[in-house]
Amino acid sequence: MKKIEAIIRPERLSPVREALDKNGFPGMSATEIKGRGRQKGVALQWRAGDYKVEFLPKVKLELVVEDDDADRLIDLICDAAHTGEAGDGKIFVHPVVDVIRVRTKERGPAAV
């Protein structure tokens, strides 16, 4: 199994969620976060002068899938989250040793 962590723009959450729903990946966790990448924030101009926003709002999606589904899931997220601009996000893939459903104590892929 693999844990997929995708950090995306907040405005791309709905298109990503819809794409995942349509392709059989309904379960996910979403967390509102702040972060920065290579662009190191953005510079804005206000009446009072320049203002730099160091950390931009992002959404972190977390999903656990079987190994065979990981590449398809990654492609779906990339396609739905892509704008072509800096700050589109990152995807991290982690191995998952085990999963336990608390209610039934099922283990492994059946618990996902």
Side-chain angles (χ1 to χ4, degrees):
M1 290 177 290
K2 303 273 191 233
K3 179 180 181 183
I4 309 297
E5 286 185 5
I7 299 177
I8 62 171
R9 296 172 182 268
E11 64 269 20
R12 302 307 300 163
L13 177 59
S14 289
V16 170
R17 185 193 49 77
E18 289 169 11
L20 297 180
D21 281 347
K22 287 179 187 174
N23 287 277
F25 299 104
M28 67 191 79
S29 295
T31 308
E32 293 179 359
I33 62 170
K34 291 185 179 190
R36 68 182 220 169
R38 289 185 179 168
Q39 80 267 25
K40 298 179 183 169
V42 294
L44 304 171
Q45 289 184 339
W46 295 87
R47 291 181 192 161
D50 293 341
Y51 179 71
K52 182 152 179 148
V53 177
E54 295 282 337
F55 291 93
L56 300 173
K58 300 288 182 180
V59 172
K60 180 168 72 169
L61 296 178
E62 297 174 276
L63 301 94
V64 176
V65 296
E66 294 191 44
D67 290 342
D68 294 343
D69 292 329
D71 287 336
R72 186 166 66 102
L73 177 66
I74 290 166
D75 288 341
L76 288 167
I77 294 170
C78 284
D79 291 345
H82 179 266
T83 68
E85 301 292 325
D88 274 353
K90 299 259 188 312
I91 298 176
F92 303 95
V93 181
H94 308 279
V96 173
V97 176
D98 202 2
V99 176
I100 298 98
R101 184 185 311 260
V102 173
R103 179 176 50 90
T104 63
K105 295 187 182 177
E106 288 175 281
R107 296 182 82 106
V112 176

